[in-house]
Amino acid sequence: MQTDVPPSPVKGLPGPPGRPAWLTETHRCVIDALLALILAAATLSFAYQYHPPGWPPFDRTAAALCLVVNLPLAVRRLAPVGVLLVSCAALLAYTVGGYQPSANIWAPLFAVFTLAARRPTRTSVAGACFAAPVWLCSAMATKVVSPDVALAQVVLGVGTAWAFGLTLRILGERNLQLAALTLRLQHEQAARMRHALTEERLRIARELHDVIAHHISVVAVQAGLAGYVFESDPTTARSALDTIAGSSREALEEMRGLLHVLRVPPEEPEGGSGRPEEPAPGLARLPALIERVEAAGLTVELTVAGEPYPLAPGPDLSAYRVVQEALTNVLKHAGPADVRLSLDYRPGRLSVGVRDGGPTARGGAPVPPGVSGGHGLIGMRERVEAHGGMLRAGSLPDGGFEVVFTLPGPGAGSAGGGPDRG
């Protein structure tokens, strides 16, 4: 018996799970038509072959009533209420006409089942209550069962058909709800995947920006210096070329490491290619970074307060990249300048400050307007806030520029405090 659950109203779903894909509305209508024809043919065949004595002859009127009882089942899914009313009315007319017992009783049961499967409970209960007296009248008209047995047949027959249809309707509705929930979960999963991909693209973009911007700035400054003193001061020119070579090699190594991470498939363990991986840069590599930017023309004064402690890999890398970007910005926008780099290791919080004296301190060009709104500062702020820290950047009253940020240290809470404004 086919499920009489209506098609799925959820956009994007073909219907309840478990329904065969080939079973379209056209197929179901064909099946219903065959069911109606089979029941009508069986009823007529039984009536013509079995004619008990004492009953009126099975004439054309009786045959027509049998057809009216059974044939409406061909559209039982389209109009279940109308089919039930017509089928029961025709059966009642057949019974009142005094015709012999027949197989007409099965069509109203199918109509009750269909009504319970496709309409609300209140409507199906009313339909079952309408069909029950008709069925009882037909059973009593056979003159072979007692009223108690006839009533039991009605309760068992009509009740079972109604309960079976109601159960299928409830299961169908739950299947639709589960299908809709599954579709919604799939959409949410796809949205989370898109969000994760966007976050990963932003992370890669930040890494590329920090690596390329810093090293290219150093190379550009040193190349200009080497070209300027190439003939007058060969020693300085050679030192500048050595700095260019070292910065280029480090940039290539960092780019190679980043590309290797992108190429390794997720299921391959880290280092699965057999190539030893260098650890990600952190604050331990600040001396090398300071040496490189000093070779490019900056003068960096490093101050460390408190007892240094190791940070987690994520905050450690972010702290290094923020300092690297801040020094690169000084090199690009302030030229040769004095820079004060301070690290303040406090319990549960690390405060870092990068302050420069501005381009006028050592004869540099004026700082271009709108520097504080560049992509570099946006990336720095995103790095710091991703680990529960805070960042403040802006111009100083004396014409310099300052970048101050805090990161949570070991044993800190969910967030590091605000930036040190003292």
Side-chain angles (χ1 to χ4, degrees), residues 175-197:
N175 285 341
L176 290 179
Q177 294 173 358
L178 290 176
L181 178 60
T182 301
L183 184 63
R184 186 161 57 249
L185 291 177
Q186 290 175 351
H187 289 167
E188 293 177 357
Q189 184 179 13
R192 287 195 297 268
M193 291 179 63
R194 289 193 297 269
H195 179 72
L197 288 175

Side-chain angles (χ1 to χ4, degrees), residues 55 65 89-99 134 137-142:
W55 293 91
L65 289 174
L91 176 59
L92 182 61
Y94 181 90
T95 304
V96 172
Y99 295 106
V134 177
C137 181
S138 176
M140 293 293 296
T142 61

Side-chain angles (χ1 to χ4, degrees), residues 237-329:
R238 186 177 297 107
S239 176
L241 293 176
D242 291 340
T243 302
I244 291 174
S247 184
S248 301
R249 283 193 298 269
E250 185 171 347
L252 288 175
E253 285 299 320
E254 292 195 35
M255 288 289 294
R256 188 178 295 114
L258 181 59
L259 292 176
H260 177 74
V261 172
L262 295 177
R263 286 175 181 150
V264 173
E267 63 273 8
E268 181 177 338
E270 185 177 355
S273 61
R275 175 180 176 272
E277 298 298 325
E278 295 185 359
L283 293 179
R285 292 174 59 175
L286 279 184
L289 175 63
I290 293 174
E291 181 180 354
R292 189 164 57 249
V293 296
E294 285 185 334
L298 297 182
T299 299
V300 181
E301 177 186 353
L302 175 62
T303 303
V304 180
E307 185 67 23
Y309 46 74
L311 296 175
D316 196 23
L317 172 62
S318 295
Y320 176 84
R321 291 301 189 199
V322 172
V323 173
Q324 182 187 53
E325 177 65 19
L327 294 176
T328 301
N329 286 340

Side-chain angles (χ1 to χ4, degrees), residues 218-219 221-227 229-230 233-249 295:
V218 173
V219 168
V221 172
Q222 291 298 309
L225 176 62
V229 301
F230 187 77
D233 192 351
T235 302
T236 302
R238 186 177 297 107
S239 176
L241 293 176
D242 291 340
T243 302
I244 291 174
S247 184
S248 301
R249 283 193 298 269

Side-chain angles (χ1 to χ4, degrees), residues 80-81 84-85 88 111-112 115-116 119-134 158 162:
V81 176
L84 177 65
L85 294 177
C88 289
V112 170
L115 184 63
R119 291 294 183 266
T121 304
R122 180 180 300 178
T123 303
S124 63
V125 169
C129 292
F130 176 78
V134 177
V158 177
W162 177 84

